[in-house]
């Protein structure tokens, strides 16, 4: 048994005055530019992930009047084999706690509300989360009783946002990227560290002794000993990283065919963007593996913008298949007819404008 975000409602956020979207395990958002797809994904980020980006520009404006509040409701339900179940499993019930879980007499659910208002005293934006007493009808959901205050942030329910501007080369430089986080978690046993560093030392010695240029530089630099009155071991030249802890600092990713390979900096943005998405998949697999070892529940939520960027149609289809296979729930915004074509009809939601932003099933 697992869980699913079944319904999301957004009001007062950017161009979204009042919007409801029903979600699937994988949901594909289609629609013309500026119909609210990115805004919807960002609203989910406020409810479930990082909300540091919120500013005055994020409040809905109509007829020169600015909304006083952003409201985002998220309905989480238990599922089994893809279908809504009556009750949450014991593990999810323990995580969410019975104080948060509601029931309509037959089925259990968790109705989370997130509101954002401006705090004039602190000159900042206040985010408040509550568990609604019930899941209100679509027509009057904004008038629903706010319920009990809560803090809704669980490691077992992580939210990942991947925007359209992604590049594996940038990921290798940033410790905050998904690749950077994985590299920082690399661990070796003491015996492995000693063995690898001995091999690196031998490799450095071989590289220097086999090169007249490096040997000459090393010999010349020995003059520093006398100048600095240094009684240490002298000069070392290490073409290869000396300590295993520094291996990730010089990480370079190569990609090519069986004949030759090239550094990622020589590949186009399509390959680099695709690689960045796949590092997110790898990161989630790592977290899922850790959760399995610890015997805890784990359900990631992914919001991905335009995975098709810079990719050939066949590559777009393959990438969609790879994203679809990731554990958890995926919400994908796209302009690609090829991705829409390989998605199931029931997974597609079309955003459109008609005196406001709306979302409908295809």
């Amino acid at each position: 048994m697992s869980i699913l975000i079944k319904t999301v409602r957004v009001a007062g956020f950017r161009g979204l005055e009042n919007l409801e979207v029903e979600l699937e395990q994988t949901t594909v958002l289609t629609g013309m530019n500026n119909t609210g797809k990115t805004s919807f994904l960002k609203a989910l980020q406020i409810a479930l992930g990082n909300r540091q980006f919120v500013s005055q520009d994020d409040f809905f404006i109509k007829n020169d009047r600015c909304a006083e509040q952003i409201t985002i409701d998220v309905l989480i339900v238990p599922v089994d084999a893809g279908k809504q179940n009556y009750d949450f499993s014991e593990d999810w019930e323990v995580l969410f706690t019975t104080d948060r879980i509601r029931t309509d007499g037959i089925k259990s659910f968790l109705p989370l509300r997130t509101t954002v208002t401006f705090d004039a005293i602190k000159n900042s934006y206040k985010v408040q989360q509550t568990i609604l007493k019930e899941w209100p009808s679509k027509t009057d959901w904004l008038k629903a009783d706010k319920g009990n205050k809560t803090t809704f942030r669980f490691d077992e329910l992580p939210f990942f946002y991947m925007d359209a501007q992604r590049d594996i080369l940038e990921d290798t430089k940033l410790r905050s990227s998904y690749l950077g986080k994985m590299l920082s978690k690399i661990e070796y046993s003491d015996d492995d560290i000693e063995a690898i560093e001995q091999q690196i030392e031998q490799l450095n010695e071989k590289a220097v002794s086999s090169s007249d240029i490096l040997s000459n530089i090393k010999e010349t630099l020995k003059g520093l000993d006398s100048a600095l009155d240094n009684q240490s071991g002298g000069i070392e030249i290490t073409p290869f990283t000396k300590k295993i802890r520094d291996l990730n600092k010089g990480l370079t990713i190569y990609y090519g065919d069986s004949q030759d390979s090239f550094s990622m900096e020589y590949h186009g943005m399509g390959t680099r963007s695709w690689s960045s998405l796949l590092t997110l998949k790898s990161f989630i697999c790592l977290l899922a593996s850790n959760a399995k070892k610890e015997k805890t529940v784990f359900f990631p939520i992914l919001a991905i913008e335009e995975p098709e960027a810079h990719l050939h149609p066949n590559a777009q289809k393959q990438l969609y298949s790879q994203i679809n296979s990731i554990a958890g729930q995926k919400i994908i915004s796209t302009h690609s007819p090829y991705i829409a074509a390989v998605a199931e009809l029931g997974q597609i939601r079309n955003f459109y404008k008609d005196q406001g932003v709306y979302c409908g099933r295809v």
Side-chain angles (χ1 to χ4, degrees):
M1 288 181 60
S2 186
I3 62 172
L4 191 73
I5 297 177
K6 181 181 179 183
T7 309
V8 179
R9 292 168 175 168
V10 184
F13 181 64
R14 297 187 180 178
L16 308 179
E17 183 178 11
N18 190 332
L19 177 73
E20 178 180 279
V21 182
E22 297 282 336
L23 298 179
E24 308 293 334
Q25 191 85 35
T26 299
T27 306
V28 177
L29 310 181
T30 63
M32 298 177 65
N33 290 330
N34 301 316
T35 52
K37 299 186 298 298
T38 296
S39 295
F40 176 75
L41 296 182
K42 282 292 184 180
L44 264 179
Q45 186 176 18
I46 291 175
L48 302 172
N50 174 30
R51 51 185 73 103
Q52 298 300 317
F53 63 88
V54 176
S55 71
Q56 184 60 45
D57 293 335
D58 290 316
F59 286 75
F60 177 79
I61 298 176
K62 186 175 183 179
N63 299 328
D64 296 327
R65 294 187 62 183
C66 182
E68 296 181 357
Q69 177 175 290
I70 296 170
T71 307
I72 305 155
D73 283 3
V74 174
L75 178 63
I76 300 175
V77 301
V79 295
D80 189 10
K83 294 183 178 181
Q84 186 172 348
N85 204 26
Y86 292 104
D87 297 300
F88 289 96
S89 68
E90 184 178 349
D91 289 337
W92 283 111
E93 189 174 287
V94 169
L95 180 68
F96 290 152
T97 73
T98 54
D99 291 339
R100 293 188 178 97
I101 296 173
R102 304 287 187 256
T103 179
D104 59 7
I106 300 176
K107 294 182 178 180
S108 298
F109 57 91
L110 192 154
L112 172 69
R113 168 162 292 184
T114 304
T115 58
V116 183
T117 54
F118 180 70
D119 189 331
I121 297 177
K122 296 183 179 179
N123 193 33
S124 62
Y125 294 94
K126 179 182 178 182
V127 179
Q128 179 177 299
Q129 292 189 303
T130 60
I131 299 297
L132 300 173
K133 291 185 176 180
E134 60 181 3
W135 184 251
S137 65
K138 183 178 179 180
T139 54
D140 59 356
W141 69 278
L142 287 170
K143 299 178 183 178
D145 191 317
K146 290 183 179 179
N148 304 321
K149 290 184 179 180
T150 188
T151 299
F152 197 86
R153 187 68 65 84
F154 299 106
D155 291 339
E156 295 86 350
L157 194 72
F159 180 85
F160 301 96
Y161 192 99
M162 183 71 82
D163 64 30
Q165 305 298 320
R166 51 189 172 263
D167 185 349
I168 190 69
L169 289 183
E170 293 301 316
D171 294 345
T172 59
K173 302 172 185 176
L174 300 174
R175 293 181 63 86
S176 59
S177 69
Y178 301 121
L179 178 61
K181 291 177 180 178
M182 283 189 288
L183 294 176
S184 67
K185 296 179 183 295
I186 294 175
E187 294 180 353
Y188 296 97
S189 68
D190 291 341
D191 289 341
D192 286 339
I193 291 174
E194 183 178 358
I196 293 173
E197 288 186 349
Q198 284 180 356
Q199 293 178 42
I200 293 174
E201 182 180 358
Q202 293 171 4
L203 189 61
N204 278 320
E205 290 176 356
K206 178 65 175 177
V208 173
S209 63
S210 300
S211 168
D212 292 338
I213 293 176
L214 291 178
S215 297
N216 185 47
I217 293 174
K218 180 178 180 180
E219 190 65 31
T220 304
L221 288 176
K222 285 183 178 179
L224 287 173
D225 281 345
S226 58
L228 299 177
D229 193 24
N230 189 1
Q231 302 301 317
S232 66
I235 296 296
E236 284 187 275
I237 293 181
T238 56
F240 307 99
T241 300
K242 185 177 180 181
K243 295 293 183 180
I244 198 169
R245 63 173 178 266
D246 297 324
L247 285 177
N248 63 323
K249 294 181 180 179
L251 180 75
T252 302
I253 298 175
Y254 286 81
Y255 177 73
D257 54 29
S258 59
Q259 301 298 320
D260 208 348
S261 62
F262 299 92
S263 168
M264 272 294 174
E265 63 185 2
Y266 294 105
H267 286 278
M269 280 305 303
T271 301
R272 285 153 55 175
S273 173
W274 192 349
S275 300
S276 185
L277 278 170
L278 291 180
T279 60
L280 171 58
K281 180 177 181 179
S282 177
F283 184 64
I284 291 173
C285 287
L286 175 64
L287 295 180
S289 176
N290 292 339
K292 187 175 181 179
K293 290 177 183 177
E294 297 172 5
K295 297 181 180 180
T296 61
V297 290
F298 180 69
F299 189 80
I301 300 163
L302 287 70
I304 302 175
E305 283 192 79
E306 301 178 19
E308 71 273 10
H310 311 288
L311 288 177
H312 183 275
N314 287 338
Q316 294 178 27
K317 297 176 184 178
Q318 187 174 352
L319 176 57
Y320 172 77
S321 177
Q322 292 170 342
I323 293 173
N324 196 34
S325 67
I326 300 176
Q329 189 167 5
K330 289 78 61 177
I331 306 100
I332 304 164
S333 71
T334 183
H335 293 286
S336 169
Y338 306 101
I339 288 179
V342 294
E344 296 178 14
L345 196 60
Q347 295 176 328
I348 299 175
R349 301 291 183 271
N350 186 55
F351 278 60
Y352 63 95
K353 282 186 177 181
D354 183 12
Q355 298 182 345
V357 173
Y358 298 90
C359 176
R361 293 174 179 267
V362 174

